[in-house]
Amino acid sequence: MLLYRLGPEGFYAATDNAGVVRMLHSDPYAESPQEWRFGRPVDINSASLLVPFLVGKVVGIGRNYPAHARELDNPLPAEPVIFLKSPSSIIGPNASIVMPEESQRVEYEGEIAVVVRHTLRRATAQEARRGILGVTCACDVTARDLQRKDPTFARAKSFDTFCPLGPALRVDADFEDLEVVTRVDGEERQRGHCRDMLFGIVELLVYTSRMMTLQPGDVLLTGTPAGVGRLAAGQEIEVEVSGVGVLHNTVEAWGQG
Ligand code: ZN
């Protein structure tokens, strides 16, 4: 089942048991999908889509696919590498990624994003698994030159527009069988499966919840597979996660918009 949020009001819509997208008359955090109540049908293709959930904090994971760690000449971490992206970096489907004038090398990182449903604090694996609302597509846009130059990832990861999320939240995903594909101008650049992650989705939630309480709407970007590369103004970028759909964004030069 897929959960959407429609602009401009931010109302929820979701697929019903017959696969028809309808207005959702339930709170997706409070009620499980089996209990959801639906209203009138929605033409999702002509709807203006927002990020499909109200986002809390954005936790990123670095070097979680061995082949990607190798391509950037980084050693494999013994523990997950955690960083934060600013909530103000979030944009929805079809919005523009704006290249900041401070960076000469902005790169895409297509990722599987996991959204938290229940508060998780020092969670067990079972609690973490039950505490997931769903998965969506993310692009962890990164100013690679600033990431290399700065002592922390904060600036490189947090420019405005550096965190596209969407287009839908898949609430019935199998967290052991998810694939992420990234395309730039229609050409495939990255393909990764969650079985190739160094630390799995549930393990990452358990680990993160030991240091920071995860709250409803918090999102975990689970790392990017090999094939990261530079973005240029005018390009179209797509990130697709199994059963979620395609997150589409355009790239804009600084001062263009
Ligand atoms: Zn990343």
Side-chain angles (χ1 to χ4, degrees), residues 33-252:
Q34 297 77 31
E35 296 163 345
W36 285 356
R37 287 162 292 116
F38 296 93
R40 64 172 173 83
V42 176
D43 177 8
I44 207 67
N45 296 316
S46 66
S48 129
L49 298 179
L50 305 176
V51 174
F53 56 103
L54 296 170
V55 189
K57 54 184 171 288
V58 185
V59 181
I61 303 294
R63 302 169 199 169
N64 200 30
Y65 289 80
H68 168 63
R70 279 195 296 274
E71 77 179 343
L72 293 185
D73 285 328
N74 287 315
L76 286 187
E79 289 181 274
V81 176
I82 286 191
F83 59 89
L84 293 166
K85 283 175 88 79
S86 165
S88 51
S89 66
I90 294 162
I91 56 172
N94 305 314
S96 294
I97 298 165
V98 179
M99 314 258 278
E101 58 182 346
E102 288 78 10
S103 173
Q104 269 62 62
R105 193 173 181 94
V106 174
E107 296 195 351
Y108 58 82
E109 297 188 356
E111 308 200 6
I112 299 165
V114 183
V115 181
V116 174
R117 180 178 170 204
H118 296 147
T119 299
L120 297 174
R121 184 166 183 274
R122 297 194 171 271
T124 63
Q126 194 182 37
E127 287 164 346
R129 190 177 288 277
R130 285 185 184 155
I132 298 172
L133 181 64
V135 296
T136 190
C137 315
C139 192
D140 176 18
V141 182
T142 304
R144 194 72 70 201
D145 49 350
L146 303 182
Q147 187 187 26
R148 293 213 165 97
K149 185 173 156 191
D150 291 354
T152 81
F153 290 3
R155 177 166 69 147
K157 295 285 190 182
S158 287
F159 280 98
D160 288 350
T161 75
F162 270 25
C163 191
L165 291 169
L169 192 68
R170 185 175 167 196
V171 296
D172 53 358
D174 173 354
F175 306 114
E176 269 78 49
D177 188 16
L178 290 169
E179 193 172 50
V180 57
V181 178
T182 310
R183 296 179 210 93
V184 177
D185 288 339
E187 191 181 298
E188 183 174 314
R189 300 290 183 85
Q190 295 184 283
R191 183 177 285 265
H193 194 283
C194 64
R195 80 170 82 85
D196 301 321
M197 290 178 180
L198 208 48
F199 304 101
I201 287 172
V202 171
E203 199 179 354
L204 290 172
L205 287 169
V206 168
Y207 182 85
T208 307
S209 79
R210 286 186 197 141
M211 74 207 72
M212 56 182 106
T213 300
L214 294 172
Q215 289 155 327
D218 286 353
V219 58
L220 192 77
L221 311 188
T222 57
T224 199
V228 297
R230 195 169 188 168
L231 284 172
Q235 285 179 328
E236 311 267 320
I237 177 149
E238 290 177 340
V239 179
E240 181 171 9
V241 171
S242 317
V244 171
V246 179
L247 170 66
H248 175 267
N249 297 92
T250 48
V251 183
E252 237 179 59

